[in-house]
Amino acid sequence: MKKFKKIIKRRHPFGTKYKSCQINRTDRWISVVSNVIFGGLHFSPTGFAVHSSRDVTPEWIGTAVRQALDTSEYLTPMEDIEREPLILMKASSNERRLAFWEDLASAYGYKNREATWNKYDSLFVRWFYEVEPDIEIVSTKSSRTGAHSAWPRNMNEGRVFHVPFAASDAEIGDMVLRAFSRCEGPGKSTEPLFP
């Protein structure tokens, strides 16, 4: 019997430049962190990263998302990566990531940074800035272990949102809040962890 190769249809050709950030939220806090794209997504060693108490305005969220995307960097497609610069970037990224979570834990009364990783809703944000005017915001599902993932394309209807980068800060923030309402908690829950 002949096996059929699964073909994944890409919306953009491999190597299309984009910017990225991640937005996380709990019942205590919200954070917006810029990513660097360098053989995968990494916490940006130099980009925008901010956290605040959860009760921020949509304008605050929109401003933070715009700054995070502005400072996100697309350095090189996967096939062209040189080993030494990647090692140095990963070390710098990890150092800043751990310091950020340490600061977040201290600010919101967690015992340590690991405790902040237990439960939060998360959004993945991408902007193909050379070919599209819209930001893409993807709601995620968290597992019992705390990992977050997007849905397969055939299951993501109503979980992927678009808003123009040129929209107002309030409009971007409102779309982020709509996307958070479609996140799902551990196991088979169809409710966000933190509505």
Side-chain angles (χ1 to χ4, degrees):
M1 180 172 208
K2 185 178 178 182
K3 286 189 177 180
F4 291 96
K5 185 178 178 183
K6 186 174 181 181
I7 298 172
I8 297 172
K9 199 172 183 185
R10 291 182 180 273
R11 206 173 77 215
H12 301 289
F14 180 77
T16 303
K17 292 181 179 180
Y18 68 98
K19 293 176 177 272
S20 171
C21 70
Q22 186 166 341
I23 311 168
N24 301 321
R25 185 177 75 161
T26 71
D27 56 343
R28 299 188 208 181
W29 54 265
I30 184 169
S31 69
V32 182
V33 174
S34 180
N35 292 321
V36 62
I37 299 95
F38 193 14
L41 290 178
H42 308 276
F43 196 109
S44 176
T46 58
F48 186 75
V50 66
H51 58 76
S52 182
S53 61
R54 178 194 163 101
D55 58 349
V56 294
T57 64
E59 289 86 0
W60 184 95
I61 296 169
T63 300
V65 168
R66 194 184 309 278
Q67 287 182 267
L69 290 173
D70 273 337
T71 59
S72 173
E73 296 178 275
Y74 182 91
L75 296 181
T76 183
M78 207 170 270
E79 70 243 8
D80 297 336
I81 292 175
E82 293 180 28
R83 184 171 158 74
E84 196 61 35
L86 179 60
I87 290 169
L88 292 172
M89 187 282 302
K90 281 185 173 181
S92 180
S93 167
N94 195 46
E95 182 180 336
R96 185 164 187 231
R97 179 181 66 84
L98 294 177
F100 179 84
W101 284 99
E102 201 70 58
D103 183 56
L104 194 147
S106 172
Y108 304 103
Y110 292 92
K111 135 176 107 169
N112 54 41
R113 70 174 176 243
E114 288 78 10
T116 67
W117 299 338
N118 286 339
K119 279 188 176 180
Y120 59 88
D121 287 328
S122 189
L123 304 176
F124 302 148
V125 182
R126 292 189 308 178
W127 177 35
F128 291 90
Y129 58 95
E130 292 185 335
V131 295
E132 282 191 12
D134 288 358
I135 300 167
E136 178 183 80
I137 305 169
V138 179
S139 301
T140 67
K141 181 168 183 160
S142 60
S143 69
R144 293 187 193 284
T145 62
H148 292 84
S149 63
W151 285 264
R153 289 187 185 201
N154 64 341
M155 296 175 66
N156 68 9
E157 188 173 337
R159 296 176 173 120
V160 178
F161 300 82
H162 294 89
V163 62
F165 184 79
S168 71
D169 291 339
E171 289 170 317
I172 292 172
D174 284 335
M175 194 62 74
V176 165
L177 293 173
R178 281 183 60 197
F180 268 126
S181 75
R182 297 307 309 268
C183 286
E184 291 187 14
K188 296 183 177 181
S189 169
T190 56
E191 298 298 323
L193 284 172
F194 302 103

